[in-house]
Amino acid sequence: MHGLINKAVQTFLRDNYGAALWRHVVQEAGLDPNGFEAMMHYDDDVTERVLQAAMGALDKPRVVLLEDIGAYLARVEPLRRLLRFGGADYWEFLASLDELPGRTRMALPDLEVPRLSVNAANGGRFTFEVEGPLPGVSAVMAGLLRAMADDYGALALIEPSETADGRELVQVALLETDYAEGRSFDLAMPGAVEAHHA
Amino acid sequence: MPDSGSLPPQPLIAMSAGALGQLMPMALWLDPRGTIRGVGPTLARILGGRAVIGTPFDVHFRLGRARARAQETGHFSNGRRLHLWLRANPGVSLRGSAVELGYRGEEGVLVNLTFGIQLAEAVRGFGLTEADFSPCDLAMELLYLQEAKAAVLGELRALNMRLEDARRSALDQALTDPLTGLANRRAFDLELSRTLSGLEGRRPSFALVHVDLDHFKAVNDSLGHAAGDIVLEYVARVLREEARRGDVVARVGGDEFILLVREVSDPEFVLAMGRRMISRLEQPCFYAGEPCRISGSIGIALSVDYVEPDGAQMLADADAALYVSKREGRGRCTLAKPGQADSSG
């Protein structure tokens, strides 16, 4: 797993639940005390151990934890901005999600992100099939898409689900594109982007 | 340039200015005299509104690279790449191409423009949004890439700083002299204080052998630093071989070495060891066929000569003995007298 993803999980846990919880996870998962480096690669099972340790310590079901992580990601400012480049409004953003791996590759050729394909788009209803590096990736995407709906000021119902044969889905019912004000997105980067530190 | 009159007639495309502006938000229509007759919505915004219509092209733009190739119909010919600078914003350049309108350009030219490499500055300066760009323009992707690159570079810079800190602290904690592989001053001091602190209730018996090279500067000056390095590596090998297992051999200065020789109380044994070292150091080693001739002066302090051995005092005494060796003609060994030197000096 790319260090950026592990680092994001680390930052999520530390920002939301404090350094003590993170130290506990480090110990439980047998990590380097310094945590993750964003520009390195780690074995996939390291990420899984972190998730298991966090689920245990926080007493949260996997889906809830992963949704929270997804929502957190969309609020990390450099990432939020990069996601907003997907489209001028939430509908366009949803329609551009199948470009996510391509966009990511432009920035970081070695970063694998979830692959979303629109299975059905009917008016304001989208069904995405999500393929990703860890089980429950649809929950991460559901959390992220919910946070982005807020960011755009759109009103949408978003739920992770799965098909009978276990493929992961995210279902989006877009009720209103211009429901609320939304957060501003100025194309011009406000100053230089600071590195996101834990 | 093919004469369009000889080609079969091509179908004409008619469209409204609004449709044209939607397709090319940075379109510019000039009449044959170079007066602006129409602008796309984004270009209008950049030039300060629709008031630009009816004003001359030259008031707003300066031709870049294409100037030398400029032809009739103002400055443009079919299909030629254009490079323009905004007079009001000299930092912003535009590029594009022009086509002639009407028979041989009698209706003027249509120019389609896009931002050049200063896209981000233009977006900031003019407050542009996604709606200002044609979906065919890669402007959004370029802006996206610029931000992604900045974010990635930020992470890399942070990583580099952490690595640099780690490197510095590793250097600070290093215990080895990189050239010779011997212990360094820090390692020697640690080892000496460990030896002294482990002695409680026992009569200590170790020696400090302080070696300073003679004529080393002459080798460095005449044959260069590479020769000097060879000599130092040779000295390190000699000292290591003459020391016994468990002794500490340290390089503590440019051409200064100290040995901590353990379990020894007989001065004759250490003096003999020192003389062996000197006679081996005096055998020339060769650099690029040239002999490098050095020797060594040695001062020795024995812990058994002290009632309460103190590291700093023993080092100062060994150092004083070393200078006796130097004074008496170099290439010799001298045994320190306890308390001979003022350890605070």
Side-chain angles (χ1 to χ4, degrees):
Chain A
M1 189 82 69
H2 200 284
L4 260 182
I5 293 174
N6 290 328
K7 178 81 178 283
V9 174
Q10 169 185 337
T11 316
F12 161 78
L13 290 173
R14 217 160 46 180
D15 285 3
N16 284 312
Y17 304 106
L21 181 274
W22 174 244
R23 276 197 301 276
H24 171 82
V25 169
V26 164
Q27 205 159 27
E28 194 86 338
L31 305 180
D32 182 314
N34 293 323
F36 294 109
E37 271 301 343
M39 290 296 144
M40 311 263 275
H41 284 263
Y42 299 87
D43 287 341
D44 283 356
D45 66 304
V46 175
T47 315
E48 189 54 45
R49 289 208 304 272
V50 169
L51 292 177
Q52 293 296 341
M55 280 156 57
L58 300 171
D59 194 21
K60 271 184 191 253
R62 185 183 186 89
V63 170
V64 176
L65 179 69
L66 291 176
E67 285 185 6
D68 288 353
I69 290 174
Y72 172 82
L73 288 176
R75 292 190 199 104
V76 174
E77 183 60 9
L79 200 55
R80 174 190 88 91
R81 284 189 54 83
L82 290 175
L83 286 166
R84 285 286 296 252
F85 274 101
D89 62 29
Y90 193 60
W91 195 94
E92 275 187 40
F93 169 78
L94 291 175
S96 78
L97 281 175
D98 54 351
E99 289 182 357
L100 200 60
R103 283 183 171 273
T104 310
R105 252 198 318 280
M106 277 211 293
L108 272 178
D110 61 348
L111 175 56
E112 290 277 342
V113 295
R115 200 166 282 281
L116 283 87
S117 42
V118 185
N119 263 356
N122 176 10
R125 308 186 77 85
F126 295 78
T127 303
F128 296 99
E129 185 173 335
V130 194
E131 289 170 87
L134 83 171
V137 61
S138 56
V140 178
M141 287 313 297
L144 185 141
L145 295 186
R146 256 182 231 141
M148 287 309 289
D150 276 355
D151 206 83
Y152 275 103
L155 183 63
L157 292 175
I158 298 158
E159 286 303 330
S161 67
E162 58 182 283
T163 62
D165 57 349
R167 283 174 299 146
E168 298 197 31
L169 303 175
V170 178
Q171 281 171 326
V172 180
L174 177 53
L175 307 175
E176 225 173 304
T177 321
D178 290 319
Y179 174 71
E181 180 67 12
R183 287 184 63 192
S184 78
F185 175 64
D186 187 351
L187 270 193
M189 205 183 339
V193 169
E194 303 264 340
H196 184 72
H197 287 289
Chain B
M1 188 65 61
D3 182 352
S4 55
S6 68
L7 292 172
Q10 297 179 30
L12 283 174
I13 299 167
M15 67 170 84
S16 68
L20 186 70
Q22 202 179 344
L23 211 51
M24 303 183 200
M26 302 225 346
L28 175 68
W29 176 22
L30 301 176
D31 74 12
R33 295 199 322 279
T35 303
I36 296 175
R37 292 198 54 190
V39 284
T42 303
L43 192 59
R45 199 161 155 187
I46 288 166
L47 297 179
R50 299 187 55 80
V52 298
I53 291 170
T55 60
F57 170 86
D58 287 334
V59 171
H60 307 284
F61 301 97
R62 190 167 59 75
L63 269 175
R65 293 189 282 269
R67 177 185 282 282
R69 294 175 165 183
Q71 290 188 2
E72 73 274 25
T73 59
H75 305 282
F76 314 117
S77 60
N78 270 332
R80 191 78 86 198
R81 264 171 188 274
L82 290 172
H83 184 232
L84 305 178
W85 293 92
L86 290 179
R87 288 194 191 276
N89 303 72
V92 176
S93 71
L94 303 172
R95 60 189 161 78
S97 64
V99 290
E100 293 173 349
L101 299 177
Y103 179 69
R104 296 201 164 179
E106 63 189 11
E107 298 292 328
V109 291
L110 182 66
V111 186
N112 191 23
L113 294 169
T114 183
F115 288 104
I117 207 73
Q118 300 92 353
L119 171 69
E121 288 84 344
V123 165
R124 184 169 296 122
F126 300 114
L128 301 179
T129 70
E130 180 170 4
D132 291 315
F133 294 99
S134 155
C136 300
D137 196 324
L138 286 173
M140 296 301 290
E141 281 73 11
L142 204 59
L143 291 171
Y144 161 85
L145 262 186
Q146 200 166 26
E147 284 206 33
K149 185 202 70 175
V152 170
L153 278 182
E155 281 294 345
L156 285 176
R157 204 177 306 116
L159 172 59
N160 267 342
M161 277 165 61
R162 284 193 292 275
L163 289 177
E164 177 60 16
D165 284 350
R167 192 186 70 86
R168 276 172 200 272
S169 68
L171 273 183
D172 288 347
Q173 289 162 22
L175 297 173
T176 317
D177 167 46
L179 175 65
T180 60
L182 298 178
N184 62 12
R185 177 93 224 189
R186 204 179 109 83
F188 178 82
D189 288 344
L190 282 172
E191 207 47 58
L192 177 58
S193 65
R194 204 174 293 160
T195 303
L196 284 164
S197 66
L199 289 175
E200 283 169 51
R202 273 206 306 134
R203 183 134 180 90
S205 55
F206 66 91
L208 296 184
V209 179
H210 193 172
V211 183
D212 190 89
L213 301 186
D214 298 321
H215 317 302
F216 179 71
K217 190 171 179 303
V219 170
N220 247 345
D221 290 349
S222 62
L223 298 173
H225 287 286
D229 286 354
I230 297 266
V231 169
L232 291 171
E233 286 171 36
Y234 171 69
V235 171
R237 195 167 72 239
V238 168
L239 299 186
R240 215 183 272 125
E241 285 169 6
E242 292 302 326
R244 299 166 311 174
R245 186 193 296 269
D247 294 347
V248 179
V249 184
R251 180 176 175 217
V252 296
D255 56 352
E256 243 185 287
F257 300 82
I258 302 182
L259 289 85
L260 192 159
V261 182
R262 298 183 198 277
E263 302 304 326
V264 60
S265 51
D266 177 7
E268 279 312 314
F269 176 86
V270 192
L271 284 168
M273 184 187 218
R275 288 188 204 106
R276 268 201 315 276
M277 289 175 184
I278 291 170
S279 75
R280 284 187 65 186
L281 293 182
E282 288 177 348
Q283 291 160 21
C285 66
F286 289 86
Y287 172 75
E290 294 286 327
C292 308
R293 291 181 193 282
I294 58 155
S295 182
S297 296
I298 293 180
I300 296 167
L302 279 170
S303 66
V304 289
D305 291 342
Y306 296 78
V307 183
E308 290 236 359
D310 168 81
Q313 183 65 53
M314 283 183 70
L315 282 171
D317 290 343
D319 194 48
L322 165 67
Y323 277 90
V324 173
S325 295
K326 290 254 180 204
R327 221 170 29 240
E328 292 183 349
R330 304 169 196 271
R332 62 193 65 211
C333 274
T334 307
L335 200 60
K337 298 183 184 68
Q340 177 179 35
D342 175 5
S343 70
S344 65

